[in-house]
Amino acid sequence: MSHPLNTEALNPAHPDLDLLTTEDLLDALLDDQLVAVEAARRAAPALSGAVQAALPRLQQGGRLLYAGAGTSGRLGVLDATELTPTFSWPPTRAVPLIAGGDRAIREAVEGAEDDHEDGHAALLGAHPTPSDVLIAVAASGTTPWVLGAMTAARAQQVLIIGLANNPGTPLLHLADHPVLLDTGPEIISGSTRLKAGTAQKIALNSLSSALMVRLGKVYGNLMVDLKATNLKLEARAARLVQHATACDEPAAHAALRAADGQVKTAIVALTLGLTAQQARARLDAAQGNARAALETP
């Protein structure tokens, strides 16, 4: 019997999956993941449009809100959480909402995804404004909790970006910027933690990273807004300063100390021969954009 949702359909490619040797099994699983990359590539124009639409709202001080259930919800939590150490994006401006609440990050909360009203209430509980951007994610494209969050977001004039793995679904119709990640049937039928989830992770990574680049969180391809919260990141910060300014390691560490660990402040100070305070003021005038701070006369 066929299923109207591609992600729930039986995959005809491997009817004897459980009979494969371990080596062949892993080959099959890994090869199937390539479909996720292809689906994300096809979605590039839609992702680009979403970035362009979201950017002005974030420049006005808006937030990134995420809504999802199960695997999709956990991927939203992951994307939101990683923005702070990678780009110094304030955690108050990346708000992940997941069906079932925080408990659902670590364990399945059965039935939570079916509660449309709870999704609606969860989004309103984040106190959305028209400057905010909601990234709604659901493999099926039909998850009631996510649709409830989207309905609440629309009423508050929040920009809605919707990621789903099935065409023609309610999530895509409700989104201002629908992003279809058409990955088809899973190799283990219905297990959307596989290539559907991989395509979502690629799309979320690409979407949020592109936004951070456009917001001046990257100089060249250097992660100049990272938070150096451990020894590994402190060493990375010094390497970034050295690479950007061609200074030696002691100079990089000295500049970072003067800049309170802020990589782009250290880069601007060293490049232009400024104090850390002067470099910070120059960055503030350039809305934190390192390239603009360096190139402004």
Side-chain angles (χ1 to χ4, degrees):
M1 179 183 294
S2 63
H3 195 283
L5 296 179
N6 291 343
T7 54
E8 295 294 327
L10 294 176
N11 191 326
H14 296 283
D16 297 319
L17 189 71
D18 61 332
L19 299 179
L20 296 179
T21 67
T22 300
E23 183 177 357
D24 288 343
L25 173 60
L26 286 169
D27 281 345
L29 288 165
L30 292 168
D31 286 346
D32 202 48
Q33 291 289 320
L34 297 176
V35 177
V37 180
E38 295 166 0
R41 287 293 303 150
R42 289 194 299 271
L47 288 168
S48 178
V51 169
Q52 294 297 334
L55 185 60
R57 300 195 182 212
L58 299 182
Q59 289 172 326
Q60 296 166 8
R63 300 172 297 165
L64 284 170
L65 311 177
Y66 297 74
T71 297
S72 299
R74 295 180 194 104
L75 289 170
V77 172
L78 179 62
D79 197 71
T81 302
E82 290 182 340
L83 293 179
T84 298
T86 307
F87 301 109
S88 292
W89 188 250
T92 55
R93 295 184 66 191
V95 181
L97 306 172
I98 182 170
D102 287 350
R103 182 164 69 93
I105 297 172
R106 291 183 174 272
E107 60 183 273
V109 180
E110 300 299 338
E113 68 177 54
D114 298 327
D115 194 333
H116 187 282
E117 290 185 4
D118 188 62
H120 191 280
L123 194 286
L124 291 182
H127 308 292
T129 75
S131 294
D132 292 335
V133 177
L134 173 65
I135 304 174
V137 192
S140 68
T142 63
T143 306
W145 191 93
V146 178
L147 297 178
M150 295 174 75
T151 302
R154 180 162 298 287
Q156 300 301 314
Q157 298 180 308
V158 173
L159 181 77
I160 304 172
I161 300 168
L163 276 61
N165 297 84
N166 288 291
T169 45
L171 183 148
L172 296 175
H173 288 305
L174 193 55
D176 298 303
H177 288 271
V179 179
L180 171 62
L181 302 165
D182 194 356
T183 45
E186 295 288 357
I187 191 170
I188 298 176
S189 300
S191 182
T192 52
R193 63 182 288 270
L194 296 175
K195 66 178 176 234
T198 300
Q200 291 174 7
K201 179 69 166 69
I202 294 170
L204 288 168
N205 265 355
S206 301
L207 176 62
S208 60
S209 296
L211 283 168
M212 294 299 118
V213 172
R214 287 287 169 260
L215 288 166
K217 299 289 187 178
V218 174
Y219 173 55
N221 67 344
L222 304 181
M223 192 193 302
V224 295
D225 242 340
L226 69 84
K227 279 190 176 296
T229 54
N230 57 39
L231 292 175
K232 178 189 73 175
L233 293 179
E234 288 174 5
R236 181 184 298 168
R239 289 195 301 274
L240 291 171
V241 173
Q242 286 181 261
H243 182 84
T245 65
C247 72
D248 60 23
E249 186 175 355
H253 283 291
L256 283 166
R257 284 195 297 273
D260 296 324
Q262 296 175 341
V263 174
K264 62 185 177 184
T265 301
I267 289 172
V268 172
L270 284 171
T271 302
L272 300 180
L274 304 175
T275 66
Q277 184 177 0
Q278 291 169 328
R280 196 171 291 113
R282 195 175 180 94
L283 280 162
D284 288 343
Q287 288 76 52
N289 189 302
R291 187 173 295 280
L294 288 167
E295 294 181 354
T296 301

